[in-house]
Amino acid sequence: MKGWIIAGAILLFFLFVSLLKIGIVIGYKKDFTLALKILFFKIKILPAKKKKIKLSNYTKKKIEKAEAKEKASKEKKEKKKQEKKAQKQKEKQLKKDLEKAGKAPPKKKLSEKITDTVTLVKVILDIVKLLFTKLFGYIKTEVISLKIALGGKSPDQTALIYGATMAGVTALLEFLDGHSELKIKDQDSVAVVPDFPCHGFEADINIIISFRVWQIFGMIIPPAVRAAKHFIPKLLKGGDKTKKTAADKSNKETA
């Protein structure tokens, strides 16, 4: 009787765990944030927590080691800086040579002209795609806020950034809608606003991607079973072959 109670308790525990809802929260206000939400608990992934100061880290030996590491890092940065400078000079010289030869210098790509607003949207889309390729069909997405105000140094630059950002936001929402059960909180939750006086951007982003624990097992178990069905017979055949070769050798020796 006691054994049945323990088995029932274990089964109930696993049932409870399997029904737990896991949420991945993507956010941005002053900094980009990524967190894991389980029930009422939130585990921050990005930005990483600042390490606590320990007095044991400030011994003479450790300080000398840290100074040597910092010196090596500075030398590395300086080397990169010099390489970058040399590359720029090389590009300038190439531009001059092309102008002398009457050829037009190569134009900069559109992506090189666009500021961090587009990068932000791209990072979110990349994270979403990574999650959705692994958990396709099980995801629910809630867009609580996706608001971006942006601006460049000139109206032309602002228009360019606005167009690229709008394209990114549209691609993100289309992907979410096509690959999950998408819910947008209200009409004002999504907004991309060109702010002509400002230089840079401001954003208020809060997107929650959620699924249940059993759905992860539902995703892992079928491929694992298929793989087992495919490889186990091959392994067994391989075992039979080694047995046969060993038997043949022993027969030859006796002969």
Side-chain angles (χ1 to χ4, degrees):
M1 187 68 182
K2 198 178 178 181
W4 282 107
I5 292 164
I6 292 163
I10 292 164
L11 192 68
L12 282 169
F13 171 74
F14 279 109
L15 184 68
F16 170 73
V17 170
S18 69
L19 292 171
L20 278 177
K21 195 176 181 181
I22 296 171
I24 291 156
V25 184
I26 300 166
Y28 189 97
K29 274 198 177 175
K30 288 182 180 178
D31 200 3
F32 182 79
T33 58
L34 189 67
L36 195 68
K37 194 181 179 184
I38 303 165
L39 294 174
F40 307 108
F41 305 101
K42 216 174 191 181
I43 303 156
K44 197 183 276 187
I45 300 165
L46 290 171
K49 284 183 180 179
K50 288 180 181 178
K51 289 179 181 178
K52 288 181 180 178
I53 296 164
K54 290 181 182 177
L55 292 169
S56 57
N57 292 336
Y58 292 91
T59 59
K60 192 186 175 185
K61 195 178 179 181
K62 284 185 178 180
I63 288 166
E64 284 173 355
K65 195 179 177 181
E67 282 175 351
K69 198 176 179 182
E70 196 178 339
K71 192 183 176 184
S73 178
K74 278 182 180 177
E75 283 173 0
K76 198 177 179 182
K77 279 180 183 177
E78 188 61 36
K79 194 183 176 182
K80 276 188 177 180
K81 198 178 176 181
Q82 292 299 326
E83 283 173 0
K84 208 173 181 181
K85 198 177 178 181
Q87 184 64 32
K88 277 187 178 180
Q89 284 177 345
K90 201 177 178 182
E91 283 173 7
K92 277 183 182 178
Q93 189 60 47
L94 180 68
K95 194 180 175 182
K96 281 179 183 177
D97 293 342
L98 286 167
E99 282 172 358
K100 278 181 183 178
K103 292 177 182 178
K107 288 181 181 179
K108 279 191 174 184
K109 290 178 182 178
L110 181 67
S111 58
E112 290 171 11
K113 296 177 184 177
I114 295 166
T115 59
D116 290 341
T117 323
V118 182
T119 310
L120 173 68
V121 176
K122 192 182 179 296
V123 165
I124 294 166
L125 186 58
D126 288 345
I127 290 166
V128 165
K129 281 183 176 178
L130 184 70
L131 291 167
F132 281 59
T133 50
K134 301 291 180 187
L135 292 159
F136 177 72
Y138 297 127
I139 294 175
K140 288 184 179 181
T141 309
E142 189 180 1
V143 177
I144 295 162
S145 178
L146 181 52
K147 297 174 184 177
I148 300 167
L150 52 90
K153 290 177 182 178
S154 66
D156 290 345
Q157 195 183 28
T158 301
L160 186 73
I161 298 162
Y162 173 76
T165 306
M166 272 301 293
V169 169
T170 305
L172 174 65
L173 291 172
E174 280 178 0
F175 186 86
L176 290 169
D177 191 36
H179 293 77
S180 74
E181 193 181 315
L182 178 63
K183 185 186 173 185
I184 296 168
K185 193 183 175 184
D186 52 56
Q187 286 183 341
D188 300 323
S189 294
V190 180
V192 180
V193 183
D195 188 5
F196 287 93
C198 98
H199 297 169
F201 73 98
E202 286 180 7
D204 180 12
I205 295 167
N206 191 1
I207 299 167
I208 302 169
I209 297 162
S210 60
F211 48 88
R212 297 197 184 273
V213 173
W214 72 264
Q215 291 166 337
I216 298 170
F217 291 111
M219 174 193 71
I220 295 164
I221 291 164
V225 170
R226 284 197 296 271
K229 280 180 180 178
H230 181 73
F231 288 110
I232 287 168
K234 285 188 176 182
L235 289 167
L236 290 169
K237 280 179 184 177
D240 291 339
K241 280 179 184 177
T242 50
K243 281 178 185 177
K244 280 179 185 177
T245 50
D248 291 339
K249 277 182 182 178
S250 61
N251 289 331
K252 281 176 183 178
E253 283 170 6
T254 50

